[in-house]
């Protein structure tokens, strides 16, 4: 670990001002950043601790939506009665992530910005375009079982590991940002993370020094929400593939559908192709299969991760079937 | 007292943080901290190594490379157990596996040492190494050496080929097992304190005597000058049977700087630097009559070894004693690769071997349409099928029957893929367990003090298994003392020499020796008392003496132990007891000694995603007499969970270009977490093996793993009809065999 200086921010404006100095980074729960610093994957020279900023509230908005402060912990967010009632997909995604201890520390802002679990990214002796632009991608031709099948480039095939962000994607959440000059903006969560292209080290549209202050959930759409995470062990493990869906049916026909995948791409992967294949079609396995085919049409495996394509199809089909059944039932 | 579920006597100290582990010692003032720099190539040579930048880094005292190490002893291959051999480090410019130490940075703080480590400038001339086991399998060779210097690699009885060819029902399958790691919670760590010519070595080690011998012969100094201290060890699982780089490097640095030096490996480094269970490809052939009786059994194992340091895992050895069959064959072959050295990992041999053989037996049961429990019972041998000697105390059939009854095996779906609960495909599986019971020379001393308390001493270790507790029980039993008047002191090279913890022999080696020590001490005390005119026992016949409640009673007369000792031995009185080597114990010639068990597992497999979840598991074991019901059960359950991991999760992935283990931390190298383990129980049958030792007890520590993974694997087949022979059974291997999605 490199030596660094540290300061604790007392207000949001002060925090963004403090982080504008070169080499500075925010730290929230530290559950991802500290691990990466110990391995010298991240090498900030200055840390601005924003974990005590008064950004922990979860508040109802006049339009019926919900605003979650960036410093709300993953545990508190998952346990919030309004989240559990109106946005159950988010609670399900959060509690499927990490472990109880980590969720107690991890913040909503930090979760969105957590970095990939690609093992070569963690290994400073291995080439990795995300860590050291231009050094190559060791995962291609290496051990790539957990890697992406959609939206990849020859520069990087890493996935974004967040469960929470996948749920937020089908909820069409907006990320609230505060810039160093004090200006605020909102970005749709689907636009927040980027595909790797030639610049896998640039992972989001965040500008240098910009801070996440919160996430806004619009009023919940109609339909049944489900998050389904497939993993190698029952807990404390990232998704091989995950699926978030919101499905409404009307007399046996899907009236509206949203679907997103985790564990398959460099960002939470909303599948408009799947959604198009569902809306207006009968709530039946044939429809789900067609949606799964549409969702995976452009998927490519790299060897070890080939299985993810069929796994994603099957997981989507079953999750859709469960959601549709539940809406029909009541 | 013996056998009772006494709570761990060291438990309160551990919970309160008062049990001091190797890296936590601080008795010689501020130490320096070493950080190991590992090679970033798998094969090749260091062409240039420049330490100047690292040496200028804040706090750095020294950077050691292969240019700076003193002369070192070479491993003496005639020593049967390699843990006693020298372990030279930083001794050459060539690199023999990824991560091999190429430098040690020593600094005032751990952080400074780690920060300077990447500043050591190294240039390599890399070479193309062999890292792909499957691709190199054709290079397999038959090793010259015996396994552990005593077990032949190949055995044959009858005419296997003829027997197999004529058998009406045949199984011929190949099973593969991955690289696996011990990964104890306490990393490999040590603190070396120089005292003149002497070195005090606080090191996390399973065998004190081996640590001392290995350090002494590497450093080429008198073993008497090395003082090992290892009272508490946070797990070893084989990886601390011998000392590794960290200890030798710390010793060199401590001597060079004349300061205490600490070195601990990081979790990532442990994957490359403390041994690995070899990957294996095992061909199992079973030939049977239609009634299930085996006529031929062959278990041929091919495994990797480091090209320069041979290690043979005894994977096929228990197959030699497991089932009856007139025609038999076992073999071990090695494939030289440029990967880290193979070493013993918990249940070396049985863990991978029984995965294969007990899967094959399950395949045979399906081929015969026979209950797999019944198939095993039909193949129960009367004598050891290779050696022709009787078994000392074999209760495999009882374990099978009792386990089947307790588990509710009769409700097993006889047809694979026939039981469904909602989205779950449910299956039952079982497997047998067998493990050789071993014995090794061990000495333990017991001393009675004038205050009537006893002190037990041995260089034996407690690696978290419960040694302190069972020795307390044996001493309390042997001297008629309440357990709180016994103090056990372990893990110092000044104490009588044991063979430490390993091979599941520690408990019985040390308890047997202690039992004998108590016997000798009782005789001394009785002789003293009956010759002492001041004693109430004077002149009485010691034959009728009873040691109870801290006193001695002969007929109506009695006296407390403290009175006898205080009067005659104010400084205390001591006796020593001993356990013999197997080679000196005729029972090992005349009998086959093993412990046994039977595992039963129920799994659910998600019909859509092939996720496999254990639903419940039961093991029934026969281990002779149990020394402590609680610690034995913990060992067995822990072993069973280890088996679940071996069946479903554990696998070291090798990068095909560098030979590095890619998933080298515990977030990526998966072992079961609590949520994976719902209902697990271990039952031990009452027993007493009088051929094993005077206590009738046999090894427990590794038995729980043996066969456990196969029971889970067989349950996966029963649930899905998909037979996966490539371990671990991860979901992508089952997925293609699942039924299509339905509504
Ligand atoms: C063993 C393990 C298992 C895990 N399993 C899962 C899992 O199954 N599913 C899952 O989704 N996650 C999992 N995680 C990841 C976990 O969710 C993240 O580590 C956590 O959410 C990060 O939050 P944090 O507050 O600790 O972020 P930090 O580590 O503090 O920060 C992470 C990054 O975000 C930046 N940052 C933090 N807050 C802000 C802000 N408000 N504005 C701008 N930048 C900011 C930091 O500068 C840093 O770059 C796991 C983590 C571990 C260690
Ligand atoms: S996949 Fe991306 S993160 Fe992984 S090695 Fe390649 S470039 Fe680096």
């Amino acid at each position: 670990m490199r030596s660094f200086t540290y300061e604790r921010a007392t207000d949001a404006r002060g925090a963004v001002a403090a982080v504008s100095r070169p080499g500075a980074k925010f730290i929230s729960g530290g559950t991802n950043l500290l691990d990466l610093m110990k391995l010298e994957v991240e090498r900030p020279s200055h840390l601005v601790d924003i974990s005590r900023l008064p950004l922990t509230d979860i508040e109802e908005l006049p339009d019926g939506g919900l605003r979650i402060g960036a410093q709300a912990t993953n545990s508190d967010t998952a346990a919030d009665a309004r989240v559990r009632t109106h946005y159950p997909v988010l609670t399900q995604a959060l509690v499927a992530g990490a472990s109880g201890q980590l969720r107690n520390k991890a913040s909503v802002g930090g979760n969105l910005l957590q970095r990939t679990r690609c093992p070569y990214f963690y290994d400073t002796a291995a080439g990795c375009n995300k860590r050291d632009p231009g050094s190559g991608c060791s995962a291609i031709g290496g051990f790539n079982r957990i890697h992406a099948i959609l939206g990849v480039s020859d520069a990087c095939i890493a996935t974004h590991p967040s469960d929470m962000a996948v749920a937020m994607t089908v909820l069409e959440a907006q990320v609230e940002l505060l810039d160093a000059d004090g200006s605020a903006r909102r970005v749709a969560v689907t636009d927040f993370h980027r595909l790797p292209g030639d610049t896998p080290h640039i992972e989001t549209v965040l500008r240098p020094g910009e801070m996440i202050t919160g996430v806004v959930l619009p009023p919940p759409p109609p339909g049944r929400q489900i998050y389904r995470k497939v993993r190698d062990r029952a807990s404390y493990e990232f998704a091989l593939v995950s699926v978030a869906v919101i499905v409404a049916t009307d007399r046996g026909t899907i009236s509206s559908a949203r679907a997103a995948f985790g564990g398959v791409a460099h960002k939470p992967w909303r599948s408009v192709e799947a959604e198009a294949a569902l809306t207006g079609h009968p709530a039946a396995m044939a429809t789900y299969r067609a949606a799964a085919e549409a969702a995976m049409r452009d998927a490519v495996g790299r060897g070890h991760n080939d299985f993810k394509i069929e796994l994603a199809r099957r997981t989507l089909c079953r999750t859709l079937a469960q959601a549709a059944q539940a809406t029909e039932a009541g | 007292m013996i056998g009772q579920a006494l709570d761990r006597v060291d438990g309160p100290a551990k919970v309160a943080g008062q049990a001091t582990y190797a890296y936590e010692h601080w008795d010689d003032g501020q130490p320096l901290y070493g950080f190991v720099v590992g090679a970033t190539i798998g094969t090749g040579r260091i062409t240039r190594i420049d330490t100047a930048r690292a040496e200028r880094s804040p706090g750095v005292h020294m950077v050691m490379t292969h240019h700076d190490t003193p002369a070192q002893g070479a491993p003496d291959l005639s020593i049967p157990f390699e843990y006693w051999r020298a372990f030279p480090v930083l001794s050459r410019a060539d690199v023999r596996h990824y991560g091999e130490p190429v430098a040690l940075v020593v600094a005032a703080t751990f952080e400074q040492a780690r920060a300077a480590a990447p500043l050591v400038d190294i240039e390599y001339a890399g070479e193309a190494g062999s890292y792909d086991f499957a691709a190199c399998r054709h290079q397999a060779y038959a090793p010259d050496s015996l396994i552990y210097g005593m077990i032949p690699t190949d055995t044959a009885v009858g005419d296997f080929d003829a027997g197999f060819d004529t058998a009406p029902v045949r199984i011929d399958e190949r099973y593969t097992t991955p690289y696996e790691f011990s990964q104890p919670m306490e990393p490999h760590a040590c603190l070396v304190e120089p005292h003149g010519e002497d070195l005090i070595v606080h090191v996390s080690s399973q065998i004190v005597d081996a640590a001392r011998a290995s350090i002494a012969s590497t450093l080429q100094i008198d073993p008497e000058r090395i003082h090992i201290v290892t009272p508490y060890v946070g797990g070893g699982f084989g990886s601390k049977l011998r000392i590794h780089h960290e200890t030798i490097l710390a010793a060199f640095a401590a001597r060079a700087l004349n300061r205490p030096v600490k070195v601990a490996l990081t979790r990532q480094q442990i994957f490359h630097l403390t041994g690995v269970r070899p990957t294996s490809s095992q061909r199992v052939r079973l030939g049977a009559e239609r009634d299930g009786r085996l006529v031929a059994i062959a278990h041929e194992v091919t495994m990797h070894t480091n090209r320069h340091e041979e290690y043979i895992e005894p994977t096929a050895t228990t197959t030699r004693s497991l089932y009856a069959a007139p025609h038999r064959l076992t073999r071990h072959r090695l494939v030289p690769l440029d990967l880290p050295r193979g070493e013993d990992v918990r249940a070396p041999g049985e863990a991978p071997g029984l995965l294969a053989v007990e899967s094959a037996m399950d395949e045979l049961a399906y081929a015969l349409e026979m209950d797999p429990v019944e198939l095993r019972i039909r193949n129960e041998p009367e004598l050891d099928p290779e050696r022709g000697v009787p078994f000392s105390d074999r209760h495999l059939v009882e374990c099978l029957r009792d386990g089947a009854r307790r588990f509710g095996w009769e409700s097993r779906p006889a047809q694979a893929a026939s039981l469904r609960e909602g989205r779950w495909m449910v299956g039952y599986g079982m497997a047998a367990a067998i493990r050789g019971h071993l014995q090794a020379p061990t000495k333990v001393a017991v001393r009675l003090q004038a205050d009537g308390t006893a002190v037990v001493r041995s260089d034996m270790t407690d690696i978290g298994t419960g040694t302190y507790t069972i020795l307390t029980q044996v001493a309390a039993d042997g001297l008629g003392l309440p357990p709180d008047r016994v103090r056990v002191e372990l893990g110092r090279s000044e104490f009588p020499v044991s063979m430490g913890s390993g091979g599941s022999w520690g408990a019985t080696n040390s308890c047997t020796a202690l039992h004998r020590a108590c016997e000798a001490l009782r005789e001394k005390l009785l002789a003293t008392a009956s010759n002492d005119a001041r004693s109430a026992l004077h002149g009485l016949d010691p034959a009728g003496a009873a040691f109870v409640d801290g006193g001695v009673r002969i007929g109506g007369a009695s006296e407390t132990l403290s009175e006898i000792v205080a009067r005659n031995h104010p400084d205390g009185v001591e006796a020593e007891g001993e356990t013999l080597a197997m080679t000196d114990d005729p029972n090992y010639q005349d009998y086959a000694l093993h412990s046994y068990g039977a595992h039963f597992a129920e799994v659910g497999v998600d019909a859509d995603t092939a996720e496999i979840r254990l639903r419940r598991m039961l093991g029934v074991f026969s281990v002779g007499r149990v020394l402590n019901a609680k610690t034995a059960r913990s060992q067995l359950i822990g072993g069973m969970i280890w088996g679940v991991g071996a069946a479903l999760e554990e696998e070291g992935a090798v990068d095909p270009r560098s030979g590095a283990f890619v998933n080298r931390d515990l977030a990526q190298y998966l072992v079961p977490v609590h949520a994976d383990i719902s209902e697990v129980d271990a039952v031990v049958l009452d027993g007493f093996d009088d051929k094993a030792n005077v206590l009738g007890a046999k090894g427990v520590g590794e038995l729980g793993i043996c066969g456990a993974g196969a029971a889970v694997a067989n349950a996966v087949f029963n649930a899905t009809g998909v037979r996966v022979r490539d371990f671990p059974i991860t979901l992508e291997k089952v997925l293609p065999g699942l039924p299509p999605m339905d509504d």
Side-chain angles (χ1 to χ4, degrees):
Chain A
M1 189 187 292
R2 301 288 172 94
S3 296
F4 58 89
T5 50
Y6 168 91
E7 76 179 277
R8 184 181 295 161
T10 48
D11 60 66
R13 288 295 187 100
V16 286
V19 92
S20 62
R21 81 190 234 197
K25 255 189 125 58
F26 293 122
I27 180 164
S28 291
T31 60
N32 190 221
L33 183 58
L34 289 177
D35 278 357
L36 293 168
M37 285 170 66
K38 289 185 205 164
L39 297 169
E40 301 205 353
V41 175
E42 298 265 21
R43 288 178 282 197
S45 53
H46 184 65
L47 286 185
V48 179
D49 183 350
I50 53 176
S51 64
R52 317 235 178 150
L53 292 184
L55 293 173
T56 54
D57 287 350
I58 301 176
E59 52 194 355
E60 282 158 63
L61 298 175
D63 69 351
L66 207 59
R67 183 182 177 282
I68 303 169
Q71 291 304 330
T73 66
N74 287 188
S75 296
D76 288 346
T77 308
D80 186 274
R82 294 155 298 181
V83 174
R84 284 189 358 232
T85 313
H86 303 299
Y87 306 97
V89 69
L90 181 55
T91 292
Q92 291 165 23
L94 281 164
V95 299
S99 67
Q101 296 91 326
L102 285 159
R103 295 195 295 269
N104 287 342
K105 257 331 248 179
S107 65
V108 163
N111 191 318
L112 283 172
L113 290 172
Q114 64 173 296
R115 308 202 65 189
T116 184
R117 308 305 289 200
C118 169
Y120 298 102
F121 174 71
Y122 273 73
D123 178 1
T124 49
C128 169
N129 290 325
K130 183 183 282 298
R131 182 171 24 78
D132 294 313
S135 64
C137 171
S138 297
I140 298 174
F143 180 64
N144 50 36
R145 181 169 180 266
I146 66 167
H147 287 75
I149 51 174
L150 286 164
V152 295
S153 72
D154 286 341
C156 178
I157 57 170
T159 60
H160 191 266
S162 171
D163 292 299
M164 179 193 82
V166 181
M168 285 180 174
T169 298
V170 286
L171 293 170
E172 296 186 346
Q174 301 267 322
V175 185
E176 275 189 356
L177 304 173
L178 181 67
D179 207 345
D181 63 8
S183 62
R185 62 173 179 141
R186 279 188 186 184
V187 178
V189 74
T190 6
D191 301 328
F192 183 71
H193 296 96
R194 297 165 34 116
L195 288 178
D198 294 335
T199 54
H201 59 293
I202 305 172
E203 295 172 344
T204 66
V205 298
L206 209 63
R207 295 180 192 132
E210 230 174 353
M211 182 171 82
I212 300 175
T213 50
V215 171
V216 173
L217 303 178
R224 163 87 179 201
Q225 308 176 6
I226 297 184
Y227 187 75
R228 172 72 163 97
K229 178 174 178 179
V230 181
R231 48 185 153 176
D232 282 317
R233 61 183 173 191
S235 174
Y236 199 50
E237 177 58 348
F238 292 91
L240 289 168
V241 163
S242 71
V243 168
V245 299
I246 305 178
V247 179
T249 56
D250 185 11
R251 278 161 288 143
T253 299
I254 297 169
S255 48
S256 69
R258 294 183 192 171
F261 292 94
V264 298
H266 201 249
K267 58 185 286 187
W269 188 265
R270 179 145 180 196
S271 180
V272 287
E273 297 84 353
E275 292 172 7
L278 292 165
T279 312
H281 290 85
M285 192 48 79
T287 303
Y288 312 143
R289 267 199 211 105
E293 284 306 323
M296 292 296 136
R297 190 161 301 135
D298 297 327
V300 277
R302 298 279 172 164
H304 302 108
N305 66 350
D306 291 348
F307 73 95
K308 280 191 175 185
I309 301 172
E310 177 62 8
L311 183 62
R313 285 194 199 111
R314 293 178 73 106
T315 310
L316 180 68
C317 287
R318 181 56 56 201
T319 313
L320 288 167
Q322 280 168 347
Q325 238 167 31
T327 50
E328 285 293 303
Chain B
M1 181 81 304
I2 294 180
Q4 280 179 24
L6 185 69
D7 285 343
R8 283 162 192 271
V9 296
D10 50 337
K14 282 185 174 167
V15 174
Q18 287 161 351
T20 312
Y21 290 81
Y23 201 69
E24 301 168 340
H25 277 275
W26 191 282
D27 31 45
D28 241 19
Q30 172 76 47
L32 300 173
Y33 293 79
F35 191 85
V36 174
V37 183
T40 54
I41 59 165
T43 321
R45 289 181 64 76
I46 301 167
T47 50
R48 192 182 66 87
I49 187 158
D50 182 353
T51 58
R53 266 204 314 152
E55 277 160 1
R56 283 196 305 272
S57 186
V60 171
H61 284 244
M62 177 173 85
V63 180
M64 202 192 325
T65 71
H66 67 279
H67 295 303
D68 317 308
T69 41
Q72 303 179 63
D76 174 357
L77 300 183
S78 70
I79 299 172
F81 284 113
E82 66 115 342
Y83 333 124
W84 274 259
R85 294 179 197 157
F87 193 85
V89 302
L90 298 184
S91 57
R92 47 187 151 71
D94 41 315
V95 171
R96 293 179 172 179
H97 65 80
Y98 189 96
E100 187 177 22
V102 290
L104 179 78
V105 179
V106 183
T109 69
F110 172 77
E111 289 75 16
Q112 287 172 329
R114 185 167 62 177
L119 303 180
V120 179
D121 292 319
I122 308 169
E123 279 171 21
Y124 298 100
E127 284 160 27
S130 305
Y131 312 119
D132 184 340
F133 175 71
C136 297
R137 221 179 71 203
H138 62 279
Q139 295 170 11
Y141 68 91
D144 293 333
S145 48
L146 296 170
I147 305 173
Y148 303 131
M150 57 183 179
I151 306 170
T153 57
D154 293 17
T155 58
V157 174
D159 182 344
F160 174 79
D161 287 333
F164 184 70
D165 288 346
T166 53
V169 185
R170 284 188 295 248
I171 299 293
D172 180 357
E173 296 293 351
R174 200 171 269 286
Y175 304 84
T176 55
T177 63
Y179 300 101
E180 290 173 358
F181 304 90
S182 295
Q183 295 298 334
M185 280 311 291
E186 183 204 13
H188 301 67
C190 71
L191 161 65
V192 179
E193 300 163 350
H195 283 257
E197 281 298 293
D198 288 24
L199 291 177
I200 298 177
V201 182
H202 299 272
V203 57
S204 187
S205 162
Q206 293 178 231
I207 312 178
V208 166
D209 191 54
R212 171 153 75 173
S214 183
I215 298 168
S217 59
T218 312
L219 271 57
Q220 300 182 310
I221 59 178
D222 179 359
E224 295 298 316
R225 297 219 167 275
I226 306 223
H227 310 278
I228 305 286
V229 188
T230 182
Y232 298 108
V233 179
F237 311 114
S239 67
K240 295 174 183 170
L241 288 165
R242 69 140 34 269
I243 51 98
H244 293 98
H245 304 86
E246 73 290 334
T247 311
I248 301 297
L249 288 170
F252 281 149
R255 292 184 111 197
L257 297 164
N258 200 25
R259 289 275 301 270
V261 174
K262 283 184 175 185
V263 181
L265 297 182
T266 64
R267 183 59 65 189
Q268 289 85 351
Q269 289 173 335
I270 291 174
F271 282 82
H272 288 123
L273 298 185
T274 66
V276 52
R277 189 195 297 286
T279 190
S280 76
S281 167
Q282 306 179 44
R283 183 180 186 195
V284 181
R285 284 178 287 169
L286 305 174
E289 303 288 357
R290 298 216 181 273
D291 65 2
R293 275 180 305 118
L294 289 168
V295 285
I297 176 166
H299 188 184
E300 293 164 277
V301 185
T302 307
M303 70 187 88
H304 107 280
T305 179
N306 176 275
R307 187 184 304 283
H308 308 279
E309 294 180 70
E310 197 173 81
Y311 169 76
I312 318 166
E313 183 166 14
T315 303
T317 52
T318 48
T319 309
R320 297 172 183 171
S321 298
L322 185 50
Y323 298 119
H327 306 292
R328 347 178 34 99
L329 181 113
T330 65
R331 265 186 202 147
H332 297 81
R333 296 289 177 269
L334 300 178
V335 175
L337 297 181
D338 300 294
L339 289 177
R341 43 187 274 134
E343 281 186 37
D344 291 336
V345 174
R346 197 174 182 192
E350 297 86 4
L354 288 172
L355 263 182
V357 169
E358 286 297 282
S359 292
M361 282 295 279
D362 200 60
E363 301 209 40
L364 179 61
Y366 280 95
L368 293 162
E369 294 180 18
M370 181 179 284
D371 179 345
V373 172
E374 181 57 30
L375 174 64
R376 285 161 174 88
I377 292 173
R378 287 206 185 163
N379 286 292
E380 179 68 3
E382 272 175 29
L383 297 175
D384 184 279
E386 282 206 2
R387 294 174 54 208
V389 298
F391 291 102
S392 65
D393 188 47
R394 180 172 166 126
H395 297 290
L396 177 58
V397 171
E398 286 92 321
C399 293
L400 290 164
R401 291 221 161 96
D402 193 58
R405 183 180 57 74
R406 288 173 190 265
F407 192 75
W409 182 249
E410 73 281 357
S411 43
R412 163 190 93 105
Q415 287 295 316
S418 63
L419 182 59
R420 217 28 207 265
E421 280 179 25
R423 300 308 313 154
W424 292 100
M425 308 175 81
V426 179
Y428 285 30
M430 60 77 54
I434 179 172
R435 184 158 207 288
H437 169 68
L438 310 175
Q439 181 176 306
T442 289
K443 287 185 177 147
V444 178
V446 60
R447 183 177 194 81
L448 204 53
Q449 316 198 103
D451 63 1
T453 60
V455 180
V456 174
R457 283 186 167 165
S458 169
D459 80 358
M460 173 64 189
T461 50
D462 185 329
I463 59 173
T465 44
T467 318
Y468 282 107
T469 312
I470 53 173
L471 288 174
T472 300
Q473 288 172 276
V474 171
D477 177 77
L479 298 175
L481 290 173
D484 61 2
R485 300 186 72 181
V486 176
R487 191 170 82 237
V488 178
E489 296 181 355
L490 301 177
R492 297 188 81 102
S493 49
E494 287 74 21
F495 296 162
V497 174
S498 76
M499 287 290 260
S501 305
S504 302
W505 66 20
T508 47
N509 282 344
S510 56
C511 286
T512 304
L514 175 57
H515 180 82
R516 297 210 171 106
C518 291
E519 208 168 67
L521 190 59
R522 286 199 308 266
E523 278 169 25
K524 273 194 192 177
L525 289 165
L526 287 172
T528 305
S530 65
N531 291 329
D532 180 359
R534 294 164 297 179
S535 170
L537 308 174
H538 178 66
L540 298 178
D541 177 8
F547 283 68
V548 275
D549 297 334
V552 191
R553 205 182 305 127
I554 303 179
S558 69
E559 190 167 34
T560 64
L561 293 177
S562 56
E563 283 171 314
I564 304 175
V565 177
R567 205 165 48 232
N568 299 286
H569 309 281
D571 296 331
V573 55
E574 186 169 305
E576 203 171 77
E578 196 175 348
T579 303
L580 297 179
M582 284 181 272
T583 41
D584 297 330
D585 184 334
N587 282 351
Y588 277 87
Q589 291 298 316
D590 302 341
Y591 298 95
L593 281 92
H594 300 94
S595 50
Y596 304 91
H599 298 275
F600 295 83
E602 178 185 331
V603 303
V605 181
D606 188 295
D608 303 310
T609 62
E611 285 166 291
I612 303 165
R613 300 289 180 254
L614 182 72
R615 292 159 67 114
R616 63 195 179 101
M617 193 166 181
L618 169 73
V620 174
F621 301 96
S622 166
V623 296
R625 179 192 195 185
V626 166
L627 296 166
N628 178 317
K630 199 174 198 170
T631 55
R633 188 182 133 85
S634 294
Q635 286 297 305
L636 291 166
I637 285 181
M640 291 165 69
I641 294 170
W642 193 302
V644 176
L648 303 179
E649 294 174 6
E650 285 192 53
E651 173 167 32
V654 176
D655 185 90
R657 301 150 302 187
S658 67
F661 289 116
V662 181
N663 53 340
R664 54 181 184 270
D665 64 39
L666 293 180
Q668 301 179 79
Y669 179 80
L670 301 190
V671 298
V673 293
H674 281 97
D676 289 320
I677 304 298
S678 39
E679 202 187 308
V680 174
D681 199 10
V683 173
V684 184
L685 301 180
D686 280 342
F688 191 98
D689 188 339
D690 63 350
K691 309 297 184 305
N693 46 57
V694 283
L695 296 172
K698 289 187 284 198
V700 172
E702 291 156 292
L703 180 63
I705 309 173
C706 304
V712 174
N714 295 339
V716 172
F717 176 79
N718 185 246
T720 60
V722 181
R723 180 69 68 180
V724 177
R725 302 186 184 91
D726 176 29
F727 292 97
I729 308 175
T730 47
L731 57 80
E732 66 267 41
K733 298 174 189 171
V734 179
L735 202 60
L738 290 187
M741 305 280 293
D742 48 26
D743 280 296

